[in-house]
Amino acid sequence: MTRWKNWGVVVVSGLLIIASWITGWDALMIAAAVVAGYQIAISAIQALRVKTVSIDLLVTVAAIGALFINNYWESAAVTFLFAFGGALERATLNKTRKALTDLVDAAPETATVLREGEAQSIEIWELVPGDIVLIKNGEQVPVDGTVVTGHGGVDEATITGESVPAEKAEGEEVFAGTWLRSGLLRVKAIGIGSDTALARIIHRVEDAQDDKARTQTFMEKFSGYYTPGVMLTALAIGLITRNVELALTLLVIGCPGAMVISIPVSIVAGIGRAARDGVLIKGGEYLETSARVSAVVVDKTGTLTNGRPMLTDVVVLDDAYSEDQVLTLAAGAETASEHPLAEAIIRGAEQRELAVGMVDKADPVAGKGIRATIDGRTIAVGTADLLDQAPDRTPLLELNTAGKTAMYVGVDGCAVGIVAVADTLRDTAGQAVEALHDNGIRVIMATGDAKRVAENIAVDLGIDEVRAELMPEDKLVIVKELQSRGHTVAMVGDGVNDTPALAQADIGIAMGAAGSPAAIETADIALMADRLPRLPYALALAKRTVRTMHLNIIIALLTVALLLFGVLFGGVTMAIGMLVHEASVLLVIAIAMLLLRPTLKEGEETITQRGARKEALAS
């Protein structure tokens, strides 16, 4: 039915016009005008009922007027071209919404659940939280949940835009709509159906594509005055010149169709493109504001850094020991520690495949470190206070100055080495900061960490300004200060400690929001993938979208101006006017659709590219 509504009327009307040309029967031309114009007239009447003077009314009046002055070809041509343009417009708008369609299609419908020890295939709606779902290699993950047993690589492109499968093991989260590409998983269901990350994303994109930008709202108000103005102008010219055809032609060429469609189609395309690449933009208003961002305030931990301490250095102070031996001793002692940095040292030893010894006895010393007995030796990891002899402090101070947390490793009271840990920079942090600078955006780091640590990171990344040792409310002050200096500010944070600053910023951005309902619902922009380069990508896409909107508005206004000049001085007819008018509509749609081209520059496939590759492999 929808396809007939789009194209059936156009086809029938076109065939009637051709038949009229062949036979010379005017009745067929009138029939063509009626077939093509019937729905247009209905739409005009419906708009009038809500006190709106629409474009459809201009076309309807012009077509009926042409019939009354026996200009049947003009009437048929105007209605046919308008119907044809409308069908193309709807088809192309549907194409720009394909990102949403792809997400909806990604939603699974069935699941294999383990009940009473047996695997049963059931509909998604039959699942309940707590069910254990079995997912085999090549199957779709049907729920949001936690891996209970198993190991495998999960393709999370539909959620994060990432093309490389994420390794999942016991305790890891998985999301509905993703695909298991290797291994076998048993997953405890937590989110089902509308309570999944995928469902929340679909809801967000759906709302965002319908949300209006400020420019769109202005243009709609403008057209509300413009369209009646065109009708009154045409009426006045008709009365003054006594030229009905001229007045009707002015009605046709005055249609602001390209002007009205230029902005929504750009917004839909821009938000759709972003969604395919794992960036959720709340709506047109936020897209437009993002294009003006001139300063970005970023938190350090978990944003510029991985948010997880890592072993960075092992320094030998006693030649009788190697680096691996120092690290083995330190890791052995730390197995008895509950300190957050202990895990980093143990993990560092595991990565070097070192055999960590068992602790016979352990004695944590508050604020200083830990002493442990291993194979009859007393191993200390921590400050110099745990040692009997004063060690060389120079290497430790150098590491501390570099922003690392350094600890002595002692054996029976003597220092044999130093281990250092730090929250390491994300591999892509430098690339992201450079991309922001390329877009003319100032980058400010705001962190509660020590000033020395923050300054070292800022130097490494080329950050413009550092604010350290802050409380959450201090970040709010920084955002206000930047705004008072004329900046449009984006704040990037975790959405918890940074909530006041995120709320104050012109654009609040949450990173790694997959699976976080609060982040998806509250952030103006949510970066589903935990990758910082998506930030400059999102801001650059917003600028491209706004530039496209402005270009399309210029094309629409220029078209009307040229047609008006052509009618008054160049003999442009009603049919030619409608043809040029519809051509301008298609042009602005085509320009807007250029936003759908993949432009993500992270050495990754986009969802679109990945889908095409899957289809090629399947065929």
Side-chain angles (χ1 to χ4, degrees), residues 21-86:
W21 284 340
I22 295 172
T23 63
W25 295 350
D26 289 338
L28 293 175
M29 198 66 78
I30 295 171
V34 172
V35 169
Y38 173 78
Q39 192 59 49
I40 300 170
I42 294 296
S43 298
I45 293 169
Q46 289 173 340
L48 283 174
R49 285 176 179 171
V50 293
K51 300 179 181 179
T52 300
V53 180
S54 65
I55 302 170
D56 302 74
L57 183 61
L58 297 182
V59 176
T60 302
V61 171
I64 293 173
L67 289 176
F68 273 106
I69 61 174
N70 300 324
N71 198 336
Y72 307 127
W73 154 243
E74 294 285 353
S75 180
V78 165
T79 51
F80 169 78
L81 288 169
F82 192 79
F84 180 73

